[in-house]
């Protein structure tokens, strides 16, 4: 091979490595439990005012919930559906269930929004599925001794 071809291949390999590194989870997200990640992604969909039921479907066992979330914005101006939030965290964990707490940031745009939601998830077919969510006035304690490492 010619020297120019080798340099081009090396340059392409470096670009591919940089792109892969940019897509890899960073910091706390790299250590995020999959149940917390599921809630985080669901919140991001709501914040982005996604109106496609298929986007919500992976997070619920009942497709009617995914449809309801998508339709709740129908006929309205595209707008944020939830206030900003603190980083979600695990408050309870068993091998097949998890509770994920979301503490909401105060916002004039959401004056009656609860202080906290706790999402209850279940592990179904290797995916964490939201089964319920309840409002709370105080945040539950995070799991102290929990440390997630994806294997």
């Amino acid at each position: 091979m010619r020297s120019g071809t080798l340099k081009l291949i090396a340059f392409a390999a470096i670009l591919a490595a940089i792109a892969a590194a940019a897509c890899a989870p960073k910091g706390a997200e790299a250590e995020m439990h999959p149940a917390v990640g599921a809630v985080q992604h669901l919140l991001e969909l709501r914040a982005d005012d996604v109106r496609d039921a298929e986007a919500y479907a992976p997070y619920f066992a009942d497709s009617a919930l995914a449809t309801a979330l998508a339709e709740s914005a129908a006929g309205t101006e595209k707008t944020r559906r939830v206030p900003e939030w603190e980083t979600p965290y695990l408050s309870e964990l068993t091998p097949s269930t998890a509770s994920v707490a979301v503490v909401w940031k105060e916002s004039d745009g959401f004056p009656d929004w609860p202080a906290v939601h706790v999402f209850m998830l279940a592990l179904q077919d290797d995916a964490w599925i939201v089964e319920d969510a309840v409002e709370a006035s105080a945040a539950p304690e995070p799991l102290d001794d929990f440390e997630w490492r994806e294997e």
Side-chain angles (χ1 to χ4, degrees):
M1 281 190 188
R2 294 184 16 204
S3 156
T5 303
L6 289 175
K7 287 180 185 177
L8 185 57
I9 291 171
F11 182 69
I14 290 169
L15 286 179
I18 291 170
C23 295
K26 307 276 190 287
E29 192 175 325
E31 299 174 7
M32 186 180 290
H33 186 278
V36 176
V39 170
Q40 178 69 29
H41 290 134
L42 183 58
L43 295 175
E44 290 168 0
L45 289 172
R46 293 301 290 158
D48 292 341
D49 194 18
V50 172
R51 299 173 185 216
D52 176 12
E54 290 298 315
Y56 295 103
Y59 303 100
F60 300 100
D62 182 356
S63 64
L65 292 172
T67 301
L69 284 176
E71 290 178 350
S72 68
T76 63
E77 177 181 316
K78 192 155 178 79
T79 184
R80 187 177 184 88
R81 296 283 168 212
V82 294
E84 295 287 327
W85 59 89
E86 303 292 333
T87 302
Y89 62 89
L90 282 173
S91 59
E92 294 180 30
L93 181 65
T94 72
S96 61
T97 64
S99 293
V100 176
V102 176
V103 178
W104 302 100
K105 295 180 180 181
E106 287 187 36
S107 170
D108 292 339
F110 298 89
D112 298 324
W113 203 263
V116 178
H117 272 103
V118 179
F119 292 81
M120 279 68 76
L121 295 92
L123 185 60
Q124 297 179 6
D125 299 323
D126 295 326
W128 288 94
I129 305 298
V130 176
E131 291 191 322
D132 198 6
V134 296
E135 297 177 3
S137 56
E141 291 293 318
L143 290 179
D144 292 345
D145 56 351
F146 176 76
E147 191 173 312
W148 169 251
R149 297 282 188 246
E150 185 146 14
E151 297 174 14

